[in-house]
Amino acid sequence: MKCILIFVLIFAVFLSCNTPSTSPDVNTEDTSANRWVKPTGKDSLLLLTDRPPNLETPLKYFRLDYTPNNVFFVRWHLAGLPDSVSLDTFRLRIKGNVNKELALSVNDLKTKFEPVTITAVCQCSGNSRSFFDPRVPGGQWKNGALGNAKWTGVKLKDILTYAGVKGDSKEVSFNGLDKPPLQTTPDFVKSLSYDHANDGEVMVAYEMNGEPLPLLNGYPLKLVVPGWFATYWVGMLSDIEVHTKPFEGFWMKKAYLVPKGEPNGAEHPDSLAKDLVPISVMNVRSLFVAPEPNEVVKAGVPTDVQGLALDGGFGITKVELSADSGKTWQPAKLDPELGKYSWRRWHYTFTPPEKGAYVLLVKATNAKGQTQPAHQWNRSGYMHNEVETLPFKAE
Ligand SMILES: Nc1nc2c(c(=O)[nH]1)N[C@H]1C(S)=C(S)[C@@H](COP(=O)(O)O)O[C@H]1N2
Ligand SMILES: [Mo]
């Protein structure tokens, strides 16, 4: 109850600069008319829902290599979020199939373990959901449930080794401080296979772009799972449990499932897939950053069309654009790589020959030869990666 009250308070402040607030009970994920808000500790973002907070990064920030913390997108499932976390009392607990249960402070993480930094894209499984046709229920994100950051923290492997994980371990689960507002909603707990958890890349981050994480992005600790969709990047991470049996939690078995054996998680609305598996690696995609949709540029003048491309860590090798509805494709110029789990920026100079309306298409290809389909759909609106379209005008 206390959490809920605190929450109402934060969001009263948060919404005060805006149009009439939604009723406290409104938790519709289906908001297509986004509003601007300036939550505590953040700059202006696009509001999808206020309880729990779901906020989208405006496209203009994707002109930067790293997404600033104060405009990094926010996505929570449960409205019971603490409004502050004290490092004096906060402990990360490691329990289950270990020789030594641990309760580590953030300072313990900083002093007992070797720090690591990795650049990685954090992208919500439902990013770009509003572009699915036919439309699907869920948060109607445009392309801004996405960000690239430098994450600093400790390898999960080192923490597990310190706890002395026993040999017969199968899976590791992760829980945060956020709680369901009603007991009927299952707590948000995610899991990884024991081997994945020990791959030396999955990490527990205490910094994002050289600063402590913003509260709304999971302060003080966030699990970083490079190359995998952000649903696994558990924020306000407080409990790690090692299991000898498969983990059966709601958020692994009932939610965040995609059609099995489909690299883009695709299915057809008339024949839904029967076999579903937990979502995992990010599929290859690209997006336009500038000009913005329906922007007006100058006819006869070269325009710097720019955007980004990303995948699950194989590496972007090619980005191509088409100005003739996909009949012919021309290569874009790729910026230098910032790391295998980072996004990669691209530029393409386009000169609109005359005044009028234009549409450009973009598609990326990765080192595995995976590329973007002309059409892609699934019932949950995950893994959106169909060829991106940019309408704009020249005057
Ligand atoms: N504890 C907790 N961690 C969470 C979530 C959540 O609801 N609770 N949502 C996940 C999902 S679906 C996404 S997309 C990312 C979003 O991270 P961000 O809010 O830092 O952008 O957090 C993930 N980690
Ligand atoms: Mo997500």
Side-chain angles (χ1 to χ4, degrees), residues 88-114:
D88 297 338
T89 51
F90 175 85
R91 294 292 179 272
L92 171 64
R93 293 180 196 279
I94 294 90
K95 58 194 179 196
N97 198 38
V98 294
N99 289 321
K100 185 172 52 163
E101 296 212 336
L102 301 176
L104 301 167
S105 67
V106 172
N107 197 48
D108 289 335
L109 290 176
K110 289 182 176 171
T111 53
K112 288 189 172 37
F113 299 90
E114 191 193 328

Side-chain angles (χ1 to χ4, degrees), residues 267-286:
E267 61 186 338
H268 194 274
D270 299 332
S271 59
L272 294 179
K274 294 203 174 57
D275 270 1
L276 301 176
V277 290
I279 195 169
S280 60
V281 180
M282 288 192 283
N283 47 342
V284 62
R285 71 168 303 181
S286 53

Side-chain angles (χ1 to χ4, degrees), residues 73 75 77 123-127 129 141 145 188 229-232 256 382:
F73 84 100
R75 200 271 179 261
H77 296 78
Q123 179 181 218
C124 179
S125 318
N127 190 27
R129 182 181 283 125
W141 301 101
F188 188 79
F229 279 102
T231 176
Y232 294 93
Y256 286 103
Y382 293 147

